[in-house]
Amino acid sequence: MELVAQFLHAIFRRQRDKTAASHCICLVAGAAAAAGDATGLGQEAGLDELIAYAEPRLAEPDMQRQKEIYQLVGQAYFERGDYEKALQYLEYYAERSGRLRAEEFYQLGYTQYQTGQYEKAIRSFTEVSGQD
């Protein structure tokens, strides 16, 4: 997982392009899950390692890509099926982002639905249906 940690460091310290950073976040989450599978520990173990690395970085005052780390941690909890924990991170990201992509609205809406926040989920899913 050291390679994933180095990759995360490069993304959040040096990445200036929001779209590229967002795509990298998805790749890192997938890589962490695959790393867990490849080591025989299972997908959840890779996500656990990702969370263990990224979550403490949220308290670092000089973190340049804090909202993207919130998104990454939220996505990892989402992939684990821990929607209660995912919600706070995904909402933080959504509240501080300009425009969300359809995939981000879907993930947020699904998480809101799973946590019983049906009105919010409807709004998020409506955004998904309004995008091409």
Side-chain angles (χ1 to χ4, degrees), residues 2-12 24-25 27-28 31:
E2 183 177 320
L3 183 59
V4 172
Q6 290 173 355
F7 190 56
L8 283 170
H9 179 76
I11 290 169
F12 296 118
C24 289
I25 287 167
L27 291 173
V28 170

Side-chain angles (χ1 to χ4, degrees), residues 78 83 105-115 121 124-125:
F78 178 89
Y83 303 111
F105 274 120
Y106 175 80
Q107 195 170 57
L108 178 60
Y110 190 82
T111 302
Q112 291 164 331
Y113 174 80
Q114 290 294 324
T115 57
S124 294
F125 286 136

Side-chain angles (χ1 to χ4, degrees), residues 114-130:
Q114 290 294 324
T115 57
Q117 297 185 23
Y118 303 118
E119 292 299 319
K120 286 183 175 182
I122 289 169
R123 287 192 296 273
S124 294
F125 286 136
T126 300
E127 290 291 333
V128 172
S129 66

Side-chain angles (χ1 to χ4, degrees), residues 47-113:
L47 295 170
D48 288 344
E49 278 197 63
L50 188 147
I51 290 167
Y53 177 83
E55 205 167 28
R57 276 31 182 203
L58 296 172
E60 293 180 6
D62 63 338
M63 185 55 59
Q64 295 177 7
R65 293 275 181 200
Q66 188 175 34
K67 73 178 180 183
E68 286 82 2
I69 295 175
Y70 269 85
Q71 180 188 28
L72 177 62
V73 173
Q75 287 177 336
Y77 280 123
F78 178 89
E79 291 297 324
R80 288 180 55 205
D82 192 341
Y83 303 111
E84 292 290 333
K85 286 186 180 176
L87 185 62
Q88 66 179 325
Y89 294 103
L90 296 177
E91 284 185 338
Y92 179 96
Y93 175 77
E95 290 166 2
R96 287 158 180 81
S97 296
R99 179 86 173 125
L100 298 181
R101 294 176 297 138
E103 301 84 21
E104 295 166 337
F105 274 120
Y106 175 80
Q107 195 170 57
L108 178 60
Y110 190 82
T111 302
Q112 291 164 331
Y113 174 80

